[in-house]
Amino acid sequence: NPTDSPVAVETLDDVPEHVLRGLPEDVRLFPSAVDKTRLGVWATKSILKGKKFGPFVGDKKKRSQV
């Protein structure tokens, strides 16, 4: 429909640098499988159950804020 406004698509340019730097090894950001307009977190190989990542960098948000 020509009256529909274009949908903004999230790109790597929208991701703060500290987030990109803080990604664990073998984890990448690619288009989400759930919402193609957003980025999702993808593992490039299996991650063992209980694997811990960190330290956390950035601002913690409540679920209702994201």
Side-chain angles (χ1 to χ4, degrees), residues 33-56:
V34 177
D35 180 349
K36 297 294 185 200
T37 67
R38 304 292 309 268
L39 292 174
V41 179
W42 295 81
T44 59
K45 68 180 186 182
S46 294
I47 298 172
L48 296 175
K49 183 177 180 179
K51 172 80 173 164
K52 296 189 187 277
F53 301 104
F56 177 79

Side-chain angles (χ1 to χ4, degrees), residues 1-25:
N1 185 342
T3 60
D4 291 344
S5 52
V7 176
V9 176
E10 187 175 37
T11 69
L12 289 177
D13 290 336
D14 300 317
V15 178
E17 181 61 32
H18 73 273
V19 172
L20 296 175
R21 280 194 318 267
L23 285 176
E25 188 176 327

